[in-house]
Amino acid sequence: MAISTPAPPSKRLGDRLLAAGLISSHQLELALREQKRTGKLVGTVLHELGFATEQDISSFLAQDAQTPTVDVMKLEFAPDVIGLVPYDFCKEAGLIPYQRSADTLKLVMADPFNVVAIDRVEQLTHLRVEVLSAPRADILDKLSAVNDREGSIDHTIDELMKIGGRKGSDETTAPMMRAIEQIIGSAVRKSASDIHFEPDEKSFRIRMRNDGVLQAFLLIPKDLQDSFIARIKVMANLDVSETRLPQDGRFSFTLGRKELNLRVSCLPTNYGESVVLRILDSGNLQLDLHSLGLRKEAEASLASAVARPHGIVLVTGPTGSGKTTTLYTALNSVNRLERAVFTLEDPIEYRLPHIRQTQVSEKIGLTFSAGLRTLLRQDPDVLLVGETRDKETAQLMARAALTGHLVFSSLHTNDSFSAIPRLIDLGVEPFLLPATLHLIIAQRLVRRLCKSCRVPVPDPVTHLKSFNVPVPTDHEPTLWKAQGCPDCRNQGYRGRVAIFELLVIDDDYTVVLHSGSVEKLKAIAREKKMPLLFDDGLRRAFLGDTSIEEVFRVAFAS
């Protein structure tokens, strides 16, 4: 049987882990120094530094305290039992009420030696506490899921309205934090990329961008608008009192076992400030070339370009087309201990190991060009310039490629061919292009058909002809269309996939590069039978990844 309050151990957790051989003395010394700096629990610090896993720490604590270990994800939690202890305290202490008998409450805890939390629960519930053990990440995951199911956002909004929409009190209350967590949690479960908080004349509207399309989510009473915006500003370390000027910030957010980074943009409008949160979930980031979904020939071309010791690789496309993921994937493929890899980004979206990443800040004069000039004095091998925006950056990038550096960057152009005249417009001498430019990638994101409910198009040949698309002669085409089911929330699509166009700069293009003529470049590409964006979209449609309608929506104009 579990004990009610485990006797406090004679040694600190770090010393006990050291005695058990789970960590070394050097690791403990570093962890204690970091704990002193951050004020976090030593177990949390050891996990963050990678010295011990949460599972190892939880199992050790359970064994040390002689408490049973359970799989919290398989347990069923009754709503009335969950409600015995405030959600915010459960999250802070890493515990979740599991089962109640006449005078006993079973708790699942990450740290069964946390007697302060146990005493607090006994005071709140007037019940004797028995302790079970589970990893903290599992407890927080379950707590978040139960909170979203039982303490719904509508219930939390009602609670906030009862408190009142007074900005001075609401912006720091637990219900406001819970509401924001529920909104972010819902967005993550829907795989949304952005959350829009939109002020209107009589309401405060929340929409989410799911698979590239904005969808309505919630209407909030106007009285709560200022409190929501103020709370988000506090989380992003922005000036709460400044409502007349745009502001940008970011904050980290833990949702169960997920560690999320969110970018915040505030913009004044006639009905109040519009706030947009961009969700950056590094847990979903796959950084290998095969994960991009390129054709075999295209993947080989990209692998060849990034394997070179110097030159420029450009990725083009509009905002939200997946350029950052492609750049990070290419960068990760050349990230080795014997290479010095640097990035200049605005902003830094994901933290990459062993890479020195720099945030551009034009307010203090750290522009892309100024940062690139400095990086060239840092003895780099590989550089990533988040975006080529101006003449000086473009020229410095070309100079870096000429002097033995491999450079990755992005441009905002409609296709791969338009990148050539764009570089010339930015001041890169045409005669430098053959010697520096190796590969230009254009890309878009198309919605992926839900595999649970997609249905085949009855007559694919006639369907293709209705779109004036040539019918393949080497195989019988198969097309699919969206239908809708509970798995995809009746959208017919679930997630997105990238389509690509790769322009490999070889000797065949050397003569026309000087002219910067898009038409001449396209003529050579047609002779070489280079697949364009639309062609790659058709490939995805024939594979059943997307629909022909989606390909036309995204790629036909280019």
Side-chain angles (χ1 to χ4, degrees), residues 86-212:
Y87 167 80
D88 304 285
F89 177 75
C90 290
K91 184 178 179 182
E92 180 184 353
L95 60 86
I96 183 168
Y98 167 47
Q99 205 174 67
R100 178 185 179 175
S101 59
D103 62 345
T104 304
L105 177 66
K106 286 186 177 180
L107 286 182
V108 184
M109 300 186 67
D111 181 5
F113 284 115
N114 190 347
V115 292
V116 174
I118 293 172
D119 288 344
R120 178 63 177 151
V121 172
E122 289 184 338
Q123 289 174 6
L124 288 169
T125 62
H126 304 291
L127 297 170
R128 186 174 67 90
V129 168
E130 290 186 358
V131 180
L132 305 172
S133 180
R136 184 180 182 88
D138 288 351
I139 291 173
L140 294 179
D141 250 2
K142 191 71 174 183
L143 191 63
S144 176
V146 170
N147 173 54
D148 289 334
R149 186 183 67 223
E150 306 300 343
S152 68
I153 181 65
D154 291 328
H155 176 78
T156 308
I157 295 299
D158 290 341
E159 187 178 345
L160 284 167
M161 288 302 294
K162 289 178 182 177
I163 297 172
R166 300 179 304 277
K167 178 180 175 182
S169 61
D170 285 356
E171 69 182 26
T172 55
T173 56
M176 180 60 71
M177 286 293 296
R178 194 184 322 134
I180 292 175
E181 178 173 338
Q182 288 171 330
I183 292 168
I184 295 173
S186 180
V188 170
R189 279 188 300 279
K190 292 179 178 180
S191 300
S193 59
D194 301 86
I195 307 172
H196 290 240
F197 295 84
E198 304 172 340
D200 213 336
E201 184 177 7
K202 296 182 180 179
S203 64
F204 188 48
R205 182 174 59 245
I206 299 178
R207 294 195 292 170
M208 297 181 181
R209 188 174 295 280
N210 187 20
D211 296 337

Side-chain angles (χ1 to χ4, degrees), residues 133-378:
S133 180
R136 184 180 182 88
D138 288 351
I139 291 173
L140 294 179
D141 250 2
K142 191 71 174 183
L143 191 63
S144 176
V146 170
N147 173 54
D148 289 334
R149 186 183 67 223
E150 306 300 343
S152 68
I153 181 65
D154 291 328
H155 176 78
T156 308
I157 295 299
D158 290 341
E159 187 178 345
L160 284 167
M161 288 302 294
K162 289 178 182 177
I163 297 172
R166 300 179 304 277
K167 178 180 175 182
S169 61
D170 285 356
E171 69 182 26
T172 55
T173 56
M176 180 60 71
M177 286 293 296
R178 194 184 322 134
I180 292 175
E181 178 173 338
Q182 288 171 330
I183 292 168
I184 295 173
S186 180
V188 170
R189 279 188 300 279
K190 292 179 178 180
S191 300
S193 59
D194 301 86
I195 307 172
H196 290 240
F197 295 84
E198 304 172 340
D200 213 336
E201 184 177 7
K202 296 182 180 179
S203 64
F204 188 48
R205 182 174 59 245
I206 299 178
R207 294 195 292 170
M208 297 181 181
R209 188 174 295 280
N210 187 20
D211 296 337
V213 179
L214 270 176
Q215 298 174 352
F217 173 68
L218 185 68
L219 279 178
I220 293 177
K222 188 73 173 178
D223 290 347
L224 296 178
Q225 175 178 308
D226 290 345
S227 298
F228 264 93
I229 293 173
R231 183 68 251 171
I232 293 171
K233 282 186 170 182
V234 169
M235 295 170 74
N237 199 26
L238 299 178
D239 185 353
V240 177
S241 62
E242 180 56 76
T243 60
R244 300 168 301 169
L245 295 174
Q247 296 187 73
D248 294 302
R250 66 185 301 147
F251 64 90
S252 297
F253 190 85
T254 302
L255 188 71
R257 62 173 64 249
K258 282 180 177 285
E259 184 69 27
L260 305 171
N261 290 308
L262 291 100
R263 274 170 34 197
V264 182
S265 173
C266 299
L267 177 71
T269 71
N270 56 335
Y271 293 122
E273 287 183 278
S274 169
V275 178
V276 177
L277 305 185
R278 166 63 60 89
I279 301 171
L280 306 171
D281 184 2
S282 57
N284 291 332
L285 196 65
Q286 294 180 301
L287 296 179
D288 62 277
L289 295 181
H290 187 67
S291 68
L292 294 175
L294 292 157
R295 299 170 185 259
K296 288 184 179 180
E297 301 84 355
E299 186 177 325
S301 296
L302 177 55
S304 175
V306 301
R308 295 189 179 211
H310 55 80
I312 298 172
V313 175
L314 286 178
V315 181
T316 75
T319 302
S321 59
K323 297 191 300 296
T324 299
T325 300
T326 301
L327 285 170
Y328 277 174
T329 301
L331 193 68
N332 189 64
S333 68
V334 299
N335 181 22
R336 294 189 288 275
L337 289 177
E338 63 269 20
R339 278 185 154 182
V341 184
F342 294 82
T343 75
L344 282 172
E345 304 174 61
D346 184 21
I348 297 173
E349 295 198 7
Y350 301 103
R351 269 67 177 177
L352 301 175
H354 312 304
I355 292 176
R356 282 165 277 185
Q357 297 174 264
T358 300
Q359 169 89 38
V360 169
S361 177
E362 295 191 2
K363 291 181 181 178
I364 60 173
L366 182 54
T367 60
F368 278 113
S369 56
L372 183 53
R373 198 181 302 110
T374 303
L375 285 190
L376 290 174
R377 297 193 289 270
Q378 286 276 312

Side-chain angles (χ1 to χ4, degrees), residues 513-525:
L513 281 178
H514 297 279
S515 68
S517 170
V518 171
E519 291 305 318
K520 291 180 180 178
L521 290 166
K522 285 185 176 180
I524 295 175

